[in-house]
Amino acid sequence: MQSASGVVVVLGSGGTIAGTAASAQEHLAYRSAQLGVAALVAAVPALHGLPLEAEQVAQVDSKDMSHAVWQALAQRVALHLARPEVQGVVVTHGTDTLEETAYFLHRVLAPAKPLVLTAAMRPATALGADGPQNLLDAVTVARSAGARGVLAVMAGDVFQAADLRKAHTYRTDAFEAGEAGRLGRIEAGALRCFRPWPAGEGLGMACIAPPPDSWPRVEIVLNHEGADGRVVDALLGQGLDGLVLAGTGNGTLSMALAAAALRAQAGGVHVLRASRCAWGTVLGEEQALPGAGALSPVQARVEVLLQCLVQRTSGVAARAG
Ligand code: ASP
């Protein structure tokens, strides 16, 4: 599957893949985002001699992911993918918000070249560190003929951004794609694809050009026993641009939470109704509060954030995708 000799750019953003601990047995008390991306690449002998470039864009534990890092990542990815000699880009990232970053980059860029995110569940110092193999597999995907779109590679599995979910707190195969299924597998160093590469158009870089500290505020509120909607009213009091409801079952809401969400929507807040279930699509049209389809609540939050930004920057509403 590997094609010629295009350059692959590896962008570092931190995460456990760049983490270090005091001992090789330590899987919990480690510090994320310690090693530079050049060191991660250097630690994989199979990558030596390949036409790779490494660049550090950020160095964060992805639980602390921010608009500023997302903007910088998107800018660097767009710049490198526009270079004719670049075949693809790999981003090393933390696992905690990989699902959100992947969806953000998918919706903004939807590139015609491969943009492959990878991560690790064990720090680089662990006896069973999974980062080096994941990085090698990500480069393999980025160098595969015909590869395109935003992808994630973890534990030999290849996922499309929109299907990606972090599903486990500890296992090295922590990600799943549910009913949609994996896009492919890396087996003995080669990619086996089960589905076509993702296509589609991104929203473009213009909508994320505003300073990150001016981006809209979008919050997620969960439906649960006793949900009375007062948290929505409190948020409205602080200034809110967007609201994702992580509903029960098929995106259902308590009467009080639904009423509060309708008040928010009437006040100009952009509302999307997702489900707190791990899998499935929010089906049917509930009159006033639009459903988020198959997006997880955190992906729906990215969608609302981007739609608010598109409205701000062009006045035109974007379609989810
Ligand atoms: N907290 C880490 C991060 O997301 C976890 C990981 O990478 O596995 O950066």
Side-chain angles (χ1 to χ4, degrees):
M1 288 291 284
Q2 301 211 335
S3 80
S5 55
V7 172
V8 173
V9 181
V10 185
L11 302 178
S13 76
T16 294
I17 192 168
T20 57
S23 84
Q25 285 73 42
E26 185 56 75
H27 289 180
L28 300 177
Y30 65 88
R31 292 178 68 197
S32 205
Q34 299 300 303
L35 302 175
V37 66
L40 303 187
V41 171
V44 184
L47 294 178
H48 303 169
L50 293 182
L52 296 186
E53 296 174 14
E55 178 183 319
Q56 198 75 43
V57 175
Q59 191 63 299
V60 294
D61 184 319
S62 83
K63 71 180 175 53
D64 299 314
M65 189 48 63
S66 64
H67 296 338
V69 173
W70 274 0
Q71 186 187 56
L73 264 180
Q75 285 168 342
R76 298 310 294 169
V77 168
L79 182 138
H80 287 299
L81 288 181
R83 293 166 52 199
E85 73 277 20
V86 169
Q87 185 170 1
V89 169
V90 168
V91 174
T92 59
H93 196 283
T95 60
D96 286 345
T97 53
L98 191 71
E99 169 180 345
E100 288 158 79
T101 300
Y103 188 71
F104 173 80
L105 294 170
H106 162 65
R107 288 291 284 133
V108 173
L109 299 170
K113 292 180 182 178
L115 165 55
V116 190
L117 287 87
T118 196
M121 290 294 286
R122 304 286 176 266
T125 45
L127 205 53
D130 50 332
Q133 184 68 54
N134 288 343
L135 179 55
L136 177 61
D137 290 348
V139 171
T140 298
V141 173
R143 299 183 75 231
S144 295
R148 58 171 291 149
V150 181
L151 309 157
V153 172
M154 196 72 192
D157 290 321
V158 184
F159 303 98
Q160 287 195 25
D163 305 328
L164 187 67
R165 303 283 186 278
K166 184 168 181 182
H168 203 277
T169 55
Y170 182 73
R171 277 171 22 188
T172 52
D173 58 342
F175 287 83
E176 290 182 7
E179 294 158 326
R182 299 161 177 82
L183 184 136
R185 284 277 307 159
I186 302 286
E187 294 168 343
L191 175 64
R192 183 160 66 101
C193 264
F194 309 136
R195 300 167 50 194
W197 299 104
E201 262 186 44
L203 296 168
M205 291 294 292
C207 69
I208 62 160
D213 58 3
S214 75
W215 287 13
R217 179 169 181 196
V218 183
E219 298 290 345
I220 300 174
V221 172
L222 191 77
N223 189 40
H224 51 78
E225 179 279 328
D228 62 11
R230 277 188 290 177
V231 67
V232 172
D233 293 323
L235 288 168
L236 282 175
Q238 293 176 18
L240 187 67
D241 301 291
L243 175 67
V244 170
L245 300 154
T248 29
N250 186 31
T252 54
L253 306 171
S254 72
M255 287 192 288
L257 182 54
L262 286 168
R263 282 196 295 279
Q265 189 171 248
V269 174
H270 191 124
V271 181
L272 210 48
R273 192 170 40 85
S275 173
R276 66 180 211 185
C277 291
W279 304 110
T281 289
V282 174
L283 295 164
E285 288 305 312
E286 182 177 318
Q287 328 71 26
L289 297 169
L295 298 178
S296 65
V298 293
Q299 289 176 323
R301 180 178 168 275
V302 172
E303 189 62 42
V304 171
L305 174 72
L306 289 171
Q307 294 205 9
C308 290
L309 279 166
V310 167
Q311 262 167 351
R312 256 190 209 178
T313 51
S314 75
V316 178
R319 278 202 1 261

